[in-house]
Each structure stands twice: as structure tokens, then as C-alpha cells.
Amino acid sequence: MAESAGSVMLARSAMNRAATEGQRPPGRPVRGARRISAVLAGLAASTRHELLTFDDPVASADCAIPEPFLELAVACMRAAAERAGEVRRIVPRHALPRLEDGPPVPGRARLAEAIPFKMILVDRAVAAVPLDLELLYNGLLLIRDPVVVHALVRTHHLSWAAAEDPAYVRPRPSPSREPPPQLRPVLEALVSGVTDETAAARLGMSARTYSRRVGELMAALGTTSRFRAGAEAARRGWL
């Protein structure tokens, strides 16, 4: 796991370093639903040998993303998977029900506790990563820099080796319909949008204690993202 985390840091630092040092940019930012759709269609059409993805099928469930865009994105990725000889898809554990109930996608899938970011990587030559690391609809970075692409391939391979085959994952108990009592005030503060300093003061906690409680809350929700924490809490009925 330490090696996998190190590879994630390598991929991120490679992109940041190229951008901040004025070198050739590692990728081209693409914004706007029409342009993003064209890029996804192009990736699907160009796929020949291998498709590697980090994907979270439930990440966009509570986001105001137009249905036609979602349908196009799914169709493009399915077309790419059908063209590729090797397909490896890594999804977070909480997406297992969607993986089982959704339409079958060619290739193999494995489960991880969490994915580092969403990613589409075609033929070890070009990758698409969301600009916010969460949703392609908000913009993507189209990466062709071989150093960064190699780092992303390595990240995926290490994550794949540590992930689990869905066929061997035991069902987990259904999550509680209520958050732990000591974390409910923290959840309410988190979704209210106030700063950590303001939330800590309102709750009579030190900044360090509040930060620790936020970490406990996200662990209970099975995510490392505050954005996803709110969505997951809503899905569980905690709000």
C-alpha cells in the first residue's frame, strides 16, 4: 500500500512540477460539455489494445449533470472497452452494488477502499483526468506527456495488485441509519459550508480536535473526500 501511495504522489507531483517550472505542460485542459464529449468520443475511437480506469459510478449521482452527457460518457467507455483487448477497471468498494446491478462492461474489475482520482488511460499513450479529480463534467486534463502517463500506468498497476476481485468480496453489514452521536454535530457543520475555524469555535473544540473528528466522520463514511462525505451521508439518510 505504501508503494501504491508513493506512486500516486509521483503522478501528481509530475503534473504539478511540469506546470510550475514552466516546462512543456503535461496535458491540455478541456472544459465545456461539448468539448469534453468530443474528447471522450475520440478516446473511445482511438482505443486499440488496453483500457485502464479508476472509476466511481456513484460519484455523479447527486450532482446536477445532464443525463445526455452521462449517457454519452457511458456509451463512449463501453465502446472503448469493446475495442480494447485488455480492460482493467478499479472502482471503490462502496460502488459494488452499482457494479453488480449496472449493465455489464467488457473486461475485468476490482474493488479498492478508495480510488485516488478518476482516470481513463488508453493504450499507455494518453490519459484523461478530471481537473477536480472527481468529475469529468467539470473539465478534464488530456495528458500525453510520456513521463506522466508512465506514472499513471504504474499507479494503476499497483492499485490493481492491491485491489480485490468482486467475486471474493464478502458482503458488509448495512451501514447504520444514524451517524455516531459524537459525529453528528461535526457532520452538520461540515455540510453547512462554514470554515473549520468557525465550526470548531461553534462546537467548542480546538482546531485539532475538530480536524480529528472530521477524519473520523469521513472514515465512517468510507471516503477521503469532503465532497463525497456529504453525498454519502445523504445517501445513508444521515442528513
Side-chain angles (χ1 to χ4, degrees):
M1 292 299 291
E3 188 177 8
S4 179
S7 189
V8 171
M9 292 179 63
L10 174 64
R12 288 180 173 174
S13 65
M15 290 185 284
N16 292 336
R17 187 172 61 252
T20 58
E21 293 180 0
Q23 301 171 358
R24 179 164 59 92
R28 174 171 63 90
V30 179
R31 297 180 175 88
R34 185 172 299 178
R35 291 182 177 179
I36 295 169
S37 298
V39 167
L40 294 178
L43 288 174
S46 67
T47 303
R48 292 293 182 273
H49 309 292
E50 182 182 67
L51 178 67
L52 307 178
T53 69
F54 287 121
D55 189 21
D56 185 351
V58 303
S60 58
D62 297 312
C63 301
I65 299 178
E67 193 65 30
F69 179 89
L70 292 175
E71 292 176 354
L72 175 65
V74 171
C76 286
M77 288 307 94
R78 182 174 181 82
E82 290 174 346
R83 296 171 68 94
E86 177 72 10
V87 178
R88 296 186 181 186
R89 180 184 181 199
I90 300 177
V91 302
R93 185 186 291 271
H94 67 249
L96 179 59
R98 182 68 64 88
L99 194 66
E100 294 175 334
D101 298 338
V105 175
R108 295 181 290 168
R110 286 189 178 178
L111 300 176
E113 287 301 324
I115 58 174
F117 40 75
K118 294 193 72 170
M119 179 186 75
I120 302 165
L121 202 157
V122 173
D123 293 340
R124 306 193 183 190
V126 58
V129 176
L131 291 174
D132 62 5
L133 303 183
E134 299 281 351
L135 298 171
L136 289 169
Y137 184 73
N138 294 336
L140 60 82
L141 187 67
L142 192 63
I143 303 168
R144 298 185 186 274
D145 186 287
V147 174
V148 180
V149 169
H150 177 75
L152 293 172
V153 170
R154 180 173 175 80
T155 297
H156 193 279
H157 283 188
L158 291 171
S159 298
W160 180 267
E164 299 176 277
D165 187 324
Y168 299 102
V169 175
R170 295 180 180 177
R172 292 189 171 183
S174 299
S176 169
R177 296 294 295 178
E178 291 290 333
Q182 75 276 15
L183 297 182
R184 174 166 286 284
V186 177
L187 174 60
E188 293 172 351
L190 192 66
V191 299
S192 71
V194 300
T195 65
D196 285 6
E197 292 78 7
T198 299
R202 288 181 180 177
L203 298 177
M205 300 178 182
S206 68
R208 178 175 297 181
T209 298
Y210 180 76
S211 179
R212 186 174 67 250
R213 291 288 175 84
V214 170
E216 292 173 1
L217 175 64
M218 291 196 293
L221 289 167
T223 182
T224 58
S225 163
R226 293 191 177 202
F227 172 81
R228 290 185 183 175
E232 177 64 15
R235 188 187 71 81
R236 296 188 183 192
W238 287 11
L239 296 174

